[in-house]
Amino acid sequence: MHSDGNRIYFTSDTGHDPLPTAAALHNLITKQGYSDIILDFENAGYLSPSFMIPLVTISRNYRRENVNFEIVMPSTKKSALHVSNTNWAHLISPESYEAKGADQLHMSARQYLNPDEQFRAVDDSIGVMINSLEGVNRSGLQALEWALNEITDNVLNHANSAVGGIMQVVNFPNRRRVEFYVCDAGMTIPRSLRSGRQDITNDTSALRSAIEEGVTRNKQTNQGNGLFGTFKCCEVSNGDFDITSGMVSLRARPGELPVTEGTIPFPGTFVRASIGYDYEKLLERALVFGGKRHVPAHDFIDRFYQIDGETIQFKVAIELKAFGSREAGKLAHAKIEMLTESFSIPVEFDFENVRLITSSFADEVFGRIFESMGAVRFGHICRFKNVDSTIRALIDRAIAQRISQ
């Protein structure tokens, strides 16, 4: 990275450290007085969320001071699409790039300014995780939802950030990890914590204390378990947990917990949580407060699928986007298995607006479920609604073939 006039050039991979770019922007805008900044990614290499989410947040904050940002997109089509589809381009330069939302498998970066927006952002993220995280069980999903809720809510409760928070959720399927990125441009963690804790005398101690159980600036209004519980989700699943806040940084790795003080301040707080989502006992081992296991109540599945408190309501046309292959059936089977806690909860399949599925899809979903349960349990657990006669025949045939085999 280097600058020339009001233009910052990004060449090769940006890495994961946003601080040099934060310092460059401060120099160009505050010291040299530029109000139009060009971020030139034409020759950039890999752009990581750990670099881009802080850059997006800093840019949004400078926009409040009437600083305009222009983006020069990467020269390769794939990289340019990545900058656009992640919503980074829109958040930096909304006049030039349209907003991108979540699809079934990817959660674009988004800004939230109030509890309603934060709540919807977390819900959308959990919806994406249900569709894209293979191997996560329901208790693991509860832990992920709790952690994301806590670190995004911290921004609203503690940071007093004029731009709210910027968040993004990224799945790394090859490593069986999901990563949360949450950033603000407000009061730093050390400053916030030390304002109510006179016993914490320096920023390094403050940041280290912030991830300990029950540490908060005000015990009357907060429990102090948000960062601690999120850190534990990372720790027990052998993941990473990073915080950069003001002048100090924490980089937790398996067996390591260094906190260092740097020379370049970050104007707010950035949190990255990397969690192994197929860790079987994630909820049981991570969310333990005061020696007692915490089970989050009224989670995403309760609110969207198990509305009556008993049966999972599975609207096939909404929950699944493909019905034409065995591979699509495998994804559907995994999603249904997770929602029903390995088929221990009754599920009603509503086929409204679905007119055709293939034999291989029917076999991979319903044939396999029948084979694993047997006729009596299948009849008790699985119910069907608004099923076209052709689809019902395909499901019955898939089950009959499994019986004959």
Side-chain angles (χ1 to χ4, degrees):
M1 183 271 296
H2 67 278
S3 62
D4 183 9
N6 67 335
R7 184 183 294 252
I8 299 179
Y9 295 89
F10 300 93
T11 56
S12 70
D13 292 351
T14 57
H16 301 276
D17 184 3
L19 293 178
T21 302
L25 287 171
H26 175 76
N27 178 58
L28 293 179
I29 297 168
T30 304
K31 293 185 176 180
Q32 298 188 41
Y34 287 110
S35 59
D36 292 284
I37 301 296
I38 300 171
L39 302 175
D40 192 331
F41 296 105
E42 183 176 9
N43 296 311
Y46 174 65
L47 299 172
S48 73
S50 293
F51 177 84
M52 291 299 297
I53 293 300
L55 177 59
V56 165
T57 306
I58 293 169
S59 301
R60 296 294 293 185
N61 200 39
Y62 277 126
R63 285 177 58 84
R64 296 175 50 253
E65 302 173 14
N66 297 317
V67 177
N68 296 314
F69 288 84
E70 178 185 340
I71 295 176
V72 177
M73 282 292 200
S75 58
T76 65
K77 183 178 180 180
K78 181 179 179 181
S79 295
L81 282 173
H82 183 57
V83 174
S84 175
N85 290 338
T86 53
N87 217 31
W88 298 337
H90 169 74
L91 288 171
I92 293 173
S93 184
E95 300 85 0
S96 302
Y97 301 94
E98 64 180 15
K100 303 290 184 178
D103 61 25
Q104 260 208 324
L105 299 177
H106 303 285
M107 180 67 191
S108 299
R110 65 197 291 175
Q111 182 180 23
Y112 61 94
L113 294 164
N114 55 57
D116 286 342
E117 291 178 356
Q118 179 251 349
F119 190 76
R120 287 196 298 270
V122 172
D123 271 357
D124 288 347
S125 300
I126 301 304
V128 168
M129 285 187 237
I130 287 174
N131 285 308
S132 63
L133 305 188
E134 294 185 47
V136 65
N137 57 31
R138 181 165 177 180
S139 67
L141 190 72
Q142 285 178 312
L144 294 173
E145 181 181 354
W146 182 92
L148 186 57
N149 255 315
E150 289 293 326
I151 57 174
T152 52
D153 187 56
N154 276 349
V155 172
L156 301 178
N157 282 332
H158 301 293
N160 194 27
S161 171
V163 296
I166 307 292
M167 61 166 289
Q168 187 173 4
V169 176
V170 179
N171 178 22
F172 294 91
N174 293 335
R175 293 190 286 139
R176 315 291 285 177
R177 302 207 159 272
V178 62
E179 297 198 354
F180 303 153
Y181 308 89
V182 180
C183 194
D184 66 66
M187 184 184 296
T188 65
I189 290 174
R191 183 181 167 196
S192 174
L193 186 56
R194 292 179 65 189
S195 69
R197 290 287 303 271
Q198 303 304 313
D199 57 314
I200 300 176
T201 58
N202 59 70
D203 287 357
T204 301
S205 298
L207 191 55
R208 189 183 298 277
S209 298
I211 65 166
E212 295 176 359
E213 182 178 359
V215 174
T216 180
R217 68 180 177 184
N218 188 342
K219 282 281 190 181
Q220 308 244 332
T221 58
N222 303 290
Q223 294 181 324
N225 288 328
L227 286 177
F228 168 72
T230 306
F231 162 66
K232 293 300 290 186
C233 285
C234 300
E235 183 183 51
V236 302
S237 64
N238 291 315
D240 304 338
F241 186 64
D242 298 340
I243 303 176
T244 298
S245 190
M247 298 294 294
V248 288
S249 297
L250 179 149
R251 298 284 181 269
R253 301 294 182 269
E256 302 177 17
L257 190 58
V259 180
T260 57
E261 186 165 0
T263 57
I264 302 174
F266 184 76
T269 296
F270 171 58
V271 176
R272 166 183 169 259
S274 176
I275 303 172
Y277 54 75
D278 61 355
Y279 185 79
E280 188 175 350
K281 299 290 185 181
L282 182 62
L283 179 69
E284 293 85 345
R285 289 198 58 197
L287 302 190
V288 178
F289 308 128
K292 297 180 180 179
R293 174 186 163 194
H294 174 68
V295 179
H298 203 51
D299 66 356
F300 183 90
I301 294 176
D302 286 332
R303 288 181 283 110
F304 285 89
Y305 293 95
Q306 212 167 353
I307 300 169
D308 64 359
E310 296 180 0
T311 304
I312 296 292
Q313 306 293 327
F314 195 87
K315 295 182 181 297
V316 178
I318 295 173
E319 299 301 326
L320 307 176
K321 300 303 179 186
F323 316 97
S325 68
R326 189 167 293 277
E327 191 61 33
K330 289 179 181 178
L331 294 174
H333 186 278
K335 183 174 184 177
I336 297 163
E337 184 176 29
M338 187 275 293
L339 290 172
T340 60
E341 297 189 61
S342 298
F343 309 110
S344 63
I345 300 172
V347 54
E348 181 180 79
F349 296 99
D350 187 345
F351 277 84
E352 186 177 12
N353 297 323
V354 179
R355 295 292 172 259
L356 184 64
I357 63 175
T358 62
S359 296
S360 58
F361 179 90
D363 176 63
E364 191 63 37
V365 180
F366 301 104
R368 280 183 61 196
I369 294 175
F370 183 91
E371 185 178 55
S372 66
M373 289 185 178
V376 174
R377 190 156 170 258
F378 182 87
H380 176 68
I381 293 291
C382 297
R383 305 163 193 175
F384 295 87
K385 180 180 178 180
N386 299 319
V387 187
D388 179 273
S389 59
T390 302
I391 293 175
R392 186 72 206 219
L394 288 167
I395 293 173
D396 290 345
R397 182 168 178 268
I399 290 172
Q401 287 180 327
R402 288 277 174 167
I403 293 173
S404 67
Q405 293 170 3

